[in-house]
Amino acid sequence: MVTLSPQDPPPKGALSPHAKASFMSEQLSIKAPLSGVLVPLETVPDPVFSEKMVGDGIAIDPTSEVLLAPCSGTVVQMHPAGHAVTVKSTEGVEILVHIGIDTVKLKGEGFEPLVEVGQTVEVGENLIKFSADVLAQKAKSLISMVIFTNEDKIAKLHFKEGFVNAKADEIVGLELAVESGDQVQESHQELVSETIIIPNPTGLHARPSAVLANLCKRFDAKVQLQKGDNRANARSVVGIMGLEVGRGDKVQLVAQGAQAQAALDALVPQLREGLGEEGATPVVMRGAEPSAPPEEAVVLPPKSGDESLLMGVAASPGIGVGKVYQLREKEIEVSEKPAGNPEQERAELRRAIGASIRELEALVARLHGEADPSKAAIFAAHQELLEDPDLMDLAESSVAKGLSAAAAWKRAYQLHADRLANLRNELLAARANDLRDVGRRVLAKLAGIVDKPAEIPAGSILIAEDLTPSDTANLDRKKVMGFCTTAGGATSHVAILARSLGLPAIAGIETRALDIPNDTKVILFGGRGQLKVDPSDDLVAAVQETQKKREERRKKQLEHAKEEAKTTDGHRVEVAVNVGGVTEAEEADALGAEGVGLLRSEFLFLERSFAPTEEEQFTTYSSVAKAMGKDRPVIIRTLDVGGDKPLPYLPIPLEENPFLGQRGIRVLLNRPEIFRPQIRAVLRASEFGKMHIMFPMITTVSEFRAAKRVVREEEKKLGIDPVPVGLMIEVPAAAMCAEILAKEADFFSIGTNDLTQYTLAMDRGHPQLASQIDGLSPAVLRLIKRTVDAAHANDCWVGVCGGIAGEPQAVPILVGLGVDELSVGLPLVPAVKARIREYSLEECQKLAAQALDMEDAKDVRALCPDSLEEELKLS
């Protein structure tokens, strides 16, 4: 927190100590902007106002709900949240009226601005309409402040008391003054700070602006805040707020005067750390005295209960046997001193970036030539990162301040990467690793070094804090048996690459893995997210024997892949495939898929600067339909994006928790220009196959009806027969209301990944919670059972497209719960079909009944283990 020097507020009505003025007889009458009781500013329950950091003034406990102009003048500032406005009188006095306390956090809810910046207003004219009911429920207080922010214009204030009527009664009489204070000598050089990224949750609103303004007043210097091409006096709260600086915006401080450098040295760190605002700085544990001795650390037991068994997130399935090789990335050291002038350094930076882009273009072209589009997409995204204007702005700003190109680039990409890594959303945080990867690629060129891969011994299990996509793509599969990282998660590009390489991998493993000596024998169980250290010879032999049996079983499963999946007593379950592109759909037939249970349409929308056209989408959906034929269903999930999956052409405001914000159908219903073309493309493609439309993140029946209405409207326009319309059951609310939804929908598909994280209140990519996040939790299974029963009672079929649909322990239980379809990853189709054939329906039903009464997922998994897994005891 920012700690200001203790200052007693000036006596009521006294001239501000910062004002240097000669008095004049001219006066200004300030009328009540609201009806209500006048309250001394010193008693307001907010130190920013009560300690007069923003300026002197008075408060009103309002009884009216329309804010009026307190004097004639011009509107010079209207906060984007609509809770504060500044009017500049014709005499030059700036009057800030702030409605309520902490109302900036309402983000505009309950406020309706009635004027615009630059508009001339007369005393008593309507400025803002607000809802007292909303503020009473959600704000800290309704008390509203009238503040005079440029005190140098004022000689004396005369405050009134008691109840006042809006427009009719005076609340303050001002004696005006003419500023005659010392001016900063223009002979002093203007100094400019490095670029600062604003961390405050709602930007520089009144509170942080007041803190900055007060800090600036301590220095004999003219200090300005610059955003883009605009500057404001940093001693002026109104001036700062007028820049409308939001979270994540880039600003600079410009100082001139005798103490200019001292001002920058003191103010830059404060601004970078959020000026003490809660939520902008790391949380400090309350109650601990700074002088208290450090508490004894709590020693946590191994997550597995076994010192030799380390746990993490299952990133890529498979079993790897080998010896540990600890992989450490070497830091690229660079000099901050430039070799040439700023223009030469900028040219060197652009040269290195250009060379890196050409390298990536060649790599993408090669991967496309090798029919590996998933890898190509990852490195195409790296090209986009190198063309990011914010990254270049930060680097070039540092070059302009005298840093070398290498040092400026290193600082810029590391700063951006750290910001991404600190995001709570695991998907976005994982992109930090991509930025470090591409940043290092450029840095190596600037430093004039060749970033050679490490010499890894054959038969290695790699352990590292993190691997970059470049590291992973270049691994020699003949030497590397698998890898573990303490960072990352199951959705990172590194995990995606590991799966494409068929390389067992664990992410988010316990950090004690970094202490395992090189050449230690280990077994990596990628599918379990487990690393066994110093296994017995018997266990190694058993694993190797199991691997042979797995291969034999896989070959047998492939031989019967195109046969129907029926239990031993003849109950058929459809097994479909989850796909993310045309290539996977074309490969589905060979592996026995009976349809596409989930086509993730996001692949068409990601890694591009503009939305795909209707024709582009039609071509893709038609190709998938043709690949599956006329008789096999294709279920297309409409675009599922939100704050956690941002698109450059679909701006979504920053949210503290994007998983609980604008996402899925909530976004599409508000963006018809994205939604309707996608619906039309799917409907047109129904000419070539059995197309189904499925909506993500449905929570209420009204959402589903609204989305379904769009489909029916577009069908009518196109003259196309109705297609089946269903929804994802991903949130507990949908499962609990399945009886109502089933009356409206043709089918349900249960997304167990999201349903599990919402039910257990755990992020599915969180490395510390990974071992507790399990879709076979009895709580999740009970929601699945409720959903299936409600659907079947209303002639609505149910599929499962989440991760547990492909898990051997889950398949018989899901069948026993009554699930009609299992949709799984492409390689798993033959194995899931084979698993269904091992049980009778009666056996599955008994197992499901037992599972519902179990205490936890571990007990559920023990009910029907994989026979080969059972042979392996980790001891």
Side-chain angles (χ1 to χ4, degrees):
M1 298 289 288
V2 174
T3 303
L4 298 174
S5 300
Q7 288 184 12
D8 293 326
K12 197 164 184 67
L15 178 65
S16 162
H18 301 296
K20 299 177 182 179
S22 60
F23 300 107
M24 295 180 63
S25 59
E26 188 177 358
Q27 296 187 347
L28 175 65
S29 176
I30 303 300
K31 300 296 184 180
L34 294 162
S35 295
V37 178
L38 293 174
V39 178
L41 197 62
E42 294 86 347
T43 64
V44 169
D46 187 328
V48 168
F49 296 110
S50 64
E51 295 178 11
K52 304 185 180 180
M53 294 183 188
V54 184
D56 206 349
I58 196 165
I60 304 173
D61 194 352
T63 58
S64 58
E65 296 182 73
V66 178
L67 181 73
L68 309 181
C71 65
S72 298
T74 305
V75 178
V76 295
Q77 186 266 336
M78 173 69 74
H79 194 280
H83 70 294
V85 62
T86 302
V87 175
K88 188 173 185 177
S89 75
T90 53
E91 296 81 5
V93 177
E94 294 175 348
I95 304 112
L96 164 68
V97 187
H98 192 288
I99 304 171
I101 293 175
D102 278 352
T103 43
V104 67
K105 295 179 180 177
L106 299 185
K107 298 180 179 178
E109 183 182 359
F111 295 98
E112 182 185 351
L114 304 175
V115 293
E116 297 178 350
V117 172
Q119 184 173 332
T120 300
V121 294
E122 297 298 324
V123 61
E125 190 170 335
N126 294 349
L127 300 181
I128 300 172
K129 185 178 179 180
F130 63 94
S131 169
D133 288 340
V134 171
L135 269 63
Q137 293 174 23
K138 298 187 176 183
K140 184 176 179 180
S141 172
L142 276 168
I143 292 177
S144 301
M145 285 62 65
V146 180
I147 307 294
F148 305 102
T149 61
N150 55 344
E151 297 173 359
D152 55 321
K153 296 285 185 181
I154 303 166
K156 197 169 185 180
L157 301 168
H158 301 280
F159 296 104
K160 307 301 181 181
E161 297 179 349
F163 186 89
V164 291
N165 293 296
K167 185 179 178 180
D169 296 329
E170 183 181 76
I171 58 171
V172 184
L174 275 65
E175 292 185 17
L176 302 181
V178 177
E179 184 177 350
S180 59
D182 300 331
Q183 300 297 315
V184 175
Q185 294 181 7
E186 294 299 324
S187 59
H188 284 287
Q189 182 183 2
E190 188 175 82
L191 302 180
V192 183
S193 77
E194 62 190 75
T195 300
I196 305 156
I197 298 176
I198 298 300
N200 303 67
T202 51
L204 297 185
H205 56 95
R207 182 174 289 103
S209 296
V211 174
L212 177 59
N214 274 273
L215 290 172
C216 288
K217 292 171 184 176
R218 299 178 181 180
F219 299 95
D220 180 15
K222 175 184 176 183
V223 183
Q224 294 176 291
L225 184 69
Q226 179 166 323
K227 176 188 172 187
D229 295 329
N230 299 317
R231 289 185 181 185
N233 183 351
R235 295 189 182 201
S236 166
V237 175
V238 173
I240 295 169
M241 292 195 297
L243 288 177
E244 295 189 359
V245 179
R247 176 180 172 86
D249 283 352
K250 294 178 296 183
V251 299
Q252 291 174 298
L253 287 171
V254 182
Q256 188 177 24
Q259 293 184 306
Q261 189 59 57
L264 293 184
D265 291 343
L267 298 173
V268 167
Q270 297 283 14
L271 196 56
R272 188 188 294 120
E273 294 168 12
L275 296 161
E277 184 173 21
E278 185 177 353
T281 54
V283 177
V284 178
M285 295 299 290
R286 298 179 183 272
E289 295 296 331
S291 59
E295 298 289 348
E296 183 179 351
V298 177
V299 180
L300 297 175
K303 292 182 181 180
S304 63
D306 179 351
E307 285 285 351
S308 67
L309 186 62
L310 283 69
M311 308 287 289
V313 177
S316 179
I319 301 175
V321 180
K323 293 183 177 181
V324 167
Y325 182 82
Q326 294 282 355
L327 189 63
R328 299 289 183 268
E329 183 178 80
K330 292 182 179 178
E331 181 80 7
I332 298 179
E333 299 293 341
V334 296
S335 170
E336 293 195 351
K337 186 176 180 180
N341 60 43
E343 189 53 46
Q344 290 171 324
E345 293 296 310
R346 278 193 288 270
E348 184 67 14
L349 176 58
R350 295 190 188 110
R351 182 198 62 76
I353 290 174
S356 298
I357 289 174
R358 289 190 292 275
E359 276 184 8
L360 289 168
E361 286 173 344
L363 178 57
V364 169
R366 178 172 64 80
L367 290 170
H368 275 302
E370 294 171 359
D372 203 339
S374 61
K375 288 185 193 174
I378 291 171
F379 291 103
H382 282 201
Q383 289 177 245
E384 294 287 337
L385 288 173
L386 280 181
E387 294 165 357
D388 185 285
D390 283 355
L391 194 58
M392 281 300 297
D393 285 351
L394 272 177
E396 292 196 347
S397 170
S398 294
V399 168
K401 304 299 176 297
L403 282 184
S404 68
W409 175 254
K410 186 175 183 180
R411 176 181 293 185
Y413 85 76
Q414 288 183 343
L415 177 62
H416 262 286
D418 289 344
R419 287 180 62 211
L420 284 173
N422 287 329
L423 294 176
R424 285 194 241 179
N425 182 288
E426 184 252 353
L427 185 69
L428 296 180
R431 298 295 86 87
N433 198 29
D434 293 308
L435 185 51
R436 292 191 183 100
D437 187 7
V438 76
R440 185 181 174 90
R441 182 185 290 268
V442 174
L443 189 61
K445 288 178 170 49
L446 288 168
I449 65 172
V450 178
D451 217 5
K452 294 181 180 179
E455 291 292 332
I456 300 171
S460 291
I461 301 289
L462 302 186
I463 297 179
E465 290 184 17
D466 210 346
L467 293 174
T468 65
S470 296
D471 293 333
T472 311
N474 290 322
L475 291 177
D476 186 341
R477 188 67 180 85
K478 295 177 183 177
K479 292 182 177 180
V480 179
M481 303 294 106
F483 67 81
C484 306
T485 62
T486 58
T491 59
S492 70
H493 279 160
V494 169
I496 294 168
L497 284 169
R499 291 192 286 271
S500 73
L501 292 167
L503 197 62
I506 301 171
I509 198 164
E510 297 171 63
T511 54
R512 59 195 180 100
L514 298 172
D515 298 325
I516 302 173
N518 281 336
D519 295 324
T520 301
K521 187 166 55 177
V522 292
I523 302 176
L524 188 156
F525 297 91
R528 298 180 187 176
Q530 297 176 338
L531 183 72
K532 179 67 176 178
V533 181
D534 285 324
S536 65
D537 292 340
D538 289 343
L539 180 57
V540 172
V543 167
Q544 292 171 338
E545 181 62 26
T546 298
Q547 288 174 312
K548 290 179 183 178
K549 290 181 180 179
R550 280 183 186 278
E551 184 59 28
E552 292 170 3
R553 186 172 70 175
R554 190 185 67 81
K555 289 178 180 178
K556 188 175 180 180
Q557 290 167 350
L558 280 172
E559 290 173 6
H560 299 278
K562 293 198 174 185
E563 298 173 12
E564 289 185 338
K566 290 183 177 180
T567 59
T568 57
D569 50 359
H571 175 72
R572 181 172 179 261
V573 179
E574 189 172 285
V575 180
V577 64
N578 298 335
V579 302
V582 177
T583 303
E584 289 178 303
E586 291 171 342
E587 296 171 356
D589 178 64
L591 292 176
E594 297 171 303
V596 172
L598 170 65
L599 187 145
R600 304 180 185 92
S601 62
E602 294 79 48
F603 78 95
L604 280 167
F605 292 80
L606 298 174
E607 315 296 359
R608 56 191 297 158
S609 302
F610 50 88
T613 64
E614 181 181 326
E615 287 303 316
E616 284 181 83
Q617 295 184 68
F618 166 68
T619 300
T620 299
Y621 303 148
S622 299
S623 298
V624 173
K626 291 172 185 176
M628 300 311 297
K630 287 279 188 178
D631 299 326
R632 287 180 287 187
V634 175
I635 300 175
I636 296 183
R637 181 180 70 190
T638 55
L639 179 63
D640 185 14
V641 296
D644 62 315
K645 302 175 185 176
L647 300 175
Y649 51 87
L650 188 59
I652 297 172
L654 184 70
E655 298 175 314
E656 283 209 22
N657 191 338
F659 284 107
L660 301 179
Q662 290 295 318
R663 190 174 174 213
I665 199 64
R666 298 169 186 168
V667 173
L668 290 182
L669 288 175
N670 290 313
R671 297 300 298 265
E673 74 279 13
I674 300 289
F675 191 26
R676 287 184 180 271
Q678 182 174 30
I679 296 300
R680 289 195 296 269
V682 177
L683 293 174
R684 290 169 57 199
S686 65
E687 173 189 351
F688 303 100
K690 295 176 65 175
M691 308 303 280
H692 294 48
I693 293 175
M694 179 166 68
F695 304 123
M697 285 295 291
I698 292 289
T699 304
T700 65
V701 69
S702 60
E703 286 177 336
F704 181 72
R705 284 174 180 160
K708 185 177 178 180
R709 191 181 308 121
V710 172
V711 176
R712 297 305 179 223
E713 289 170 357
E714 295 300 332
E715 285 170 343
K716 188 175 181 180
K717 292 176 187 176
L718 294 170
I720 289 174
D721 292 336
V723 302
V725 178
L727 64 127
M728 297 278 286
I729 300 289
E730 299 176 274
V731 295
M736 295 303 293
C737 294
E739 295 91 341
I740 304 171
L741 289 165
K743 290 178 171 64
E744 303 279 340
D746 295 309
F747 65 92
F748 291 156
S749 187
I750 302 174
T752 54
N753 298 347
D754 273 336
L755 183 61
T756 300
Q757 78 166 352
Y758 287 128
T759 302
L760 302 182
M762 297 178 184
D763 184 340
R764 66 175 186 255
H766 196 298
Q768 278 75 45
L769 300 175
S771 61
Q772 302 174 52
I773 302 170
D774 196 323
L776 285 181
S777 161
V780 178
L781 295 179
R782 285 171 181 263
L783 290 176
I784 293 174
K785 173 65 173 170
R786 183 186 182 92
T787 300
V788 171
D789 290 348
H792 288 174
N794 289 279
D795 195 27
C796 175
W797 65 265
V798 182
V800 173
C801 61
I804 65 171
E807 295 184 19
Q809 301 98 324
V811 169
I813 292 171
L814 294 174
V815 172
L817 290 173
V819 170
D820 304 293
E821 176 229 52
L822 297 174
S823 190
V824 301
L826 186 58
L828 298 176
V829 172
V832 170
K833 282 188 160 185
R835 186 66 164 166
I836 292 169
R837 300 184 194 115
E838 294 177 12
Y839 294 84
S840 69
L841 178 59
E842 184 180 357
E843 287 173 322
C844 292
Q845 290 171 337
K846 287 181 179 178
L847 287 167
Q850 288 178 269
L852 294 175
D853 290 331
M854 291 293 177
E855 291 186 2
D856 56 35
K858 183 179 179 182
D859 294 336
V860 174
R861 289 188 177 277
L863 288 173
C864 40
D866 182 334
S867 57
L868 292 182
E869 290 282 339
E870 271 294 275
E871 295 177 11
L872 293 177
K873 302 297 182 184
L874 301 185
S875 59

